[in-house]
Amino acid sequence: MAVDSGCKVDAVIDKYGLASADPVYESLEDGLLARWTGADDRTEMGYRSLTAWFNKRLLKQVYTEHGREALDTRIDSDYETLCGDDDLQRDELIERLQATGIPGASLHDDMVSWGTMRTHLNDCLDGEKEPQKATTNWERESVATAKTVVEQKAETALSSLAKKGDIDGGDTAEIEAQIQLGCPDCPTRVPFAVALERGYVCKQHRSANLSAHNS
């Protein structure tokens, strides 16, 4: 039966008996805070990455207890399937888990969302950490690097195609890759630079996306 009352993170920890993942910390709760705040020279983890870590730890413990292979590659793959958008693949995995004695449906229901993790860290554990200050433009640099890599790979491929006679002039053609962002609610697509300059992808659905993000 899925947990359905009180703080879901606490309820999941109690229900499955999740212990600390690090001998340095007495409880899993202490470890969560440390990973979130970057205590003890750890790399700070955001809500989403910490949520994935927590859910995968839950998955790994249940698999281990039921004798199912719990290698990181298996855990990562099954987690992506359980939390992905493909309903058919998720249902098939849940059925396979059920066949081995693992309560796949309730296990899926017991996985926490990043919003739940955020509430748990801030409200239940009274956690605090200083907001990160942007000291570099690493985000813009990352996108620029990705664009350059794409152009370089395309240049190499076109040169090869030109030598094979598949594209006349492919080895001398000018190549320009463009990173475009698409609105999840309509066909609107805009270049990354444009979205960055104006601060949004789609004006029509901007408010709705902000509301969904903050809920």
Side-chain angles (χ1 to χ4, degrees), residues 10-28:
D10 282 335
V12 169
I13 291 175
D14 291 340
K15 177 179 178 179
Y16 293 92
L18 297 179
S20 174
D22 193 321
V24 174
Y25 307 109
E26 294 184 0
S27 69
L28 185 59

Side-chain angles (χ1 to χ4, degrees), residues 32-139:
L32 285 173
L33 275 177
R35 291 171 186 274
W36 181 53
T37 61
D40 302 323
D41 296 323
R42 290 180 175 275
T43 300
E44 290 186 23
M45 297 178 69
Y47 297 123
R48 295 182 187 277
S49 57
L50 190 58
T51 299
W53 177 86
F54 178 84
N55 287 333
K56 288 179 182 180
R57 177 159 178 74
L58 165 62
L59 201 60
K60 188 168 188 175
Q61 177 160 314
V62 173
Y63 279 16
T64 300
E65 291 175 349
H66 287 79
R68 182 177 173 83
E69 183 185 48
L71 296 176
D72 288 344
T73 50
R74 163 62 69 82
I75 297 298
D76 290 343
S77 176
D78 284 3
Y79 178 68
E80 290 299 321
T81 299
L82 288 171
C83 297
D85 297 326
D86 193 319
D87 294 340
L88 179 59
Q89 287 189 3
R90 180 172 60 251
D91 291 343
E92 288 178 346
L93 174 56
I94 288 176
E95 288 182 4
R96 292 198 299 271
L97 293 177
Q98 296 283 165
T100 61
I102 297 176
S106 62
L107 181 60
H108 171 258
D109 291 340
D110 286 344
M111 289 183 175
V112 304
S113 67
W114 75 271
T116 297
M117 180 61 70
R118 178 184 59 186
T119 300
H120 182 66
L121 292 167
N122 288 280
D123 299 341
C124 299
L125 301 184
D126 294 324
E128 292 183 1
K129 74 173 181 178
E130 292 295 326
Q132 292 184 338
K133 296 181 179 179
T135 56
T136 65
N137 288 323
W138 68 268
E139 300 94 341

Side-chain angles (χ1 to χ4, degrees), residues 179-197:
I179 306 297
Q180 288 197 331
L181 306 182
C183 175
D185 300 311
C186 73
T188 298
R189 299 180 66 86
V190 296
F192 168 75
V194 174
L196 183 63
E197 180 180 356

